[in-house]
Amino acid sequence: GVSRRRWACSLCRRRARWKCVRCLRSYYCSRQCQNVSWHIVHKHVCYKPARFWWSVVAYAAAAMVLVPDLLVNLPMYDAMVTLAPVNFLALGVIFGGAASSLKRLTGRDVRGRALEAAVVALTAILSCVTSGLVQAYFGDASRCWGWGATLGGWGGSEDGPGAPPPSGPFRDEFLDGVLVGLPLRQAHAWYGKWDRALARMGPLATRIFCEEGGGDADYPSIGCSPATRRIDPRFYLDEEHGARCSSDMALVLWVWLGAVGVLAAGGLYREVRARRANNNGGVGNRGRRRVHQD
């Protein structure tokens, strides 16, 4: 059991009574919450600490063998890998919230392996889209898929001289500048800063992480990674491929914003329910002991 009252259930945020005996990192208030969390998210991240770090080493070695330019273009591949769990969590929040709402409204519980398979499949699709956007951000706008226009009708998928000019994901100059352009410019500055810092770490770091055949290049000034030097924060306005990139970015942003909306709605629902219970003052339930479902 869990004796400290400060631990909250990893799923519903109520006071936890148990923790996962395998990873010792997740806490639950009931076995129902643990079962739901296991099928949706936890089974993919539940490892003993030793096994987790051995898995990191094994996957890192395999990635270096399969992707020869991994270290040279490390910032680009790092962004691609980082966005995969973000997509998984966003889709898990959306589908988990929809399943919980369906159960409250109709009594039908669809949380289980089918929901898990749907979340994993859609995560793979969304990760392909975000990987294409990352490669476009790092200088190759032709990597955009254009699935946003195909799936949701956002932006456009036509390229070439006769295509309409790209307008950005939100089709509004102010929103595109604040919600897209500003974060991408900040990311450009951040990547450039750390790339130049890596180049100043000495000859060994330069030999491992910097581009081969650079000769007498001044890496501390220009940076190590060629992908970092090719960053284009306005890739979604590219005349040839910008329409596809804008549609893909719109698809990803709406999924992420949807997950934030589901979290906000869930928090608001719990707050309203708690206030309603407090206003009732426990009338009708006073003296009655609540049965905890195991």
Side-chain angles (χ1 to χ4, degrees):
V2 179
S3 60
R4 300 180 184 178
R5 295 180 61 88
R6 67 186 182 92
W7 298 117
C9 177
S10 299
L11 189 68
C12 69
R13 311 311 299 172
R14 288 185 291 189
R15 185 170 66 88
R17 298 181 60 189
W18 296 281
K19 64 181 175 181
C20 176
V21 297
R22 187 180 186 185
C23 67
L24 304 178
R25 294 192 302 267
S26 293
Y27 298 84
Y28 301 99
C29 66
S30 65
R31 292 198 177 126
Q32 283 87 347
C33 280
Q34 186 174 11
N35 289 335
V36 171
S37 177
W38 175 261
H39 286 296
I40 295 178
V41 175
H42 192 60
K43 69 185 295 184
H44 301 284
V45 296
C46 182
Y47 295 104
K48 293 182 179 179
R51 182 184 173 187
F52 173 79
W53 290 113
W54 278 113
S55 299
V56 170
V57 172
Y59 284 122
M64 292 178 63
V65 173
L66 296 175
V67 186
D69 62 338
L70 175 64
L71 294 178
V72 175
N73 292 314
L74 185 61
M76 181 178 70
Y77 291 112
D78 174 71
M80 294 167 63
V81 172
T82 301
L83 290 179
V86 173
N87 297 332
F88 180 77
L89 291 176
L91 291 170
V93 167
I94 292 173
F95 278 81
S100 299
S101 299
L102 182 64
K103 183 179 180 181
R104 283 194 294 266
L105 294 174
T106 66
R108 183 180 179 183
D109 192 356
V110 297
R111 298 172 294 186
R113 296 190 181 278
L115 182 65
E116 175 191 353
V119 171
V120 171
L122 291 175
T123 298
I125 296 175
L126 192 62
S127 295
C128 289
V129 176
T130 54
S131 296
L133 289 172
V134 169
Q135 294 179 75
Y137 178 68
F138 281 91
D140 189 0
S142 64
R143 295 289 186 174
C144 293
W145 292 83
W147 285 1
T150 303
L151 298 177
W154 295 297
S157 59
E158 298 182 2
D159 294 325
S167 57
F170 292 103
R171 301 183 181 181
D172 183 90
E173 184 177 355
F174 176 76
L175 290 178
D176 289 333
V178 173
L179 299 180
V180 180
L182 181 61
L184 291 180
R185 288 194 299 271
Q186 294 298 320
H188 184 194
W190 187 88
Y191 276 117
K193 173 184 176 181
W194 286 105
D195 192 40
R196 290 188 294 272
L198 186 65
R200 298 190 185 99
M201 293 179 64
L204 181 60
T206 302
R207 186 167 185 175
I208 295 176
F209 294 102
C210 293
E211 183 180 15
E212 295 183 1
D216 297 329
D218 186 11
Y219 289 124
S221 299
I222 64 174
C224 275
S225 174
T228 303
R229 296 196 292 270
R230 294 195 304 265
I231 286 179
D232 181 12
R234 298 173 62 84
F235 69 94
Y236 57 93
L237 299 178
D238 181 78
E239 293 183 0
E240 185 176 359
H241 305 289
R244 288 189 300 174
C245 293
S246 293
S247 66
D248 284 349
M249 188 174 291
L251 171 63
V252 174
L253 289 175
W254 281 118
V255 170
W256 291 353
L257 292 174
V260 173
V262 170
L263 289 175
L268 180 62
Y269 171 77
R270 287 189 292 270
E271 182 67 21
V272 170
R273 187 175 61 179
R275 289 187 178 183
R276 188 174 300 171
N278 292 332
N279 292 334
N280 291 337
V283 177
N285 294 325
R286 191 168 299 167
R288 183 184 303 173
R289 184 174 180 180
R290 180 182 175 185
V291 179
H292 190 87
Q293 296 179 352
D294 292 333

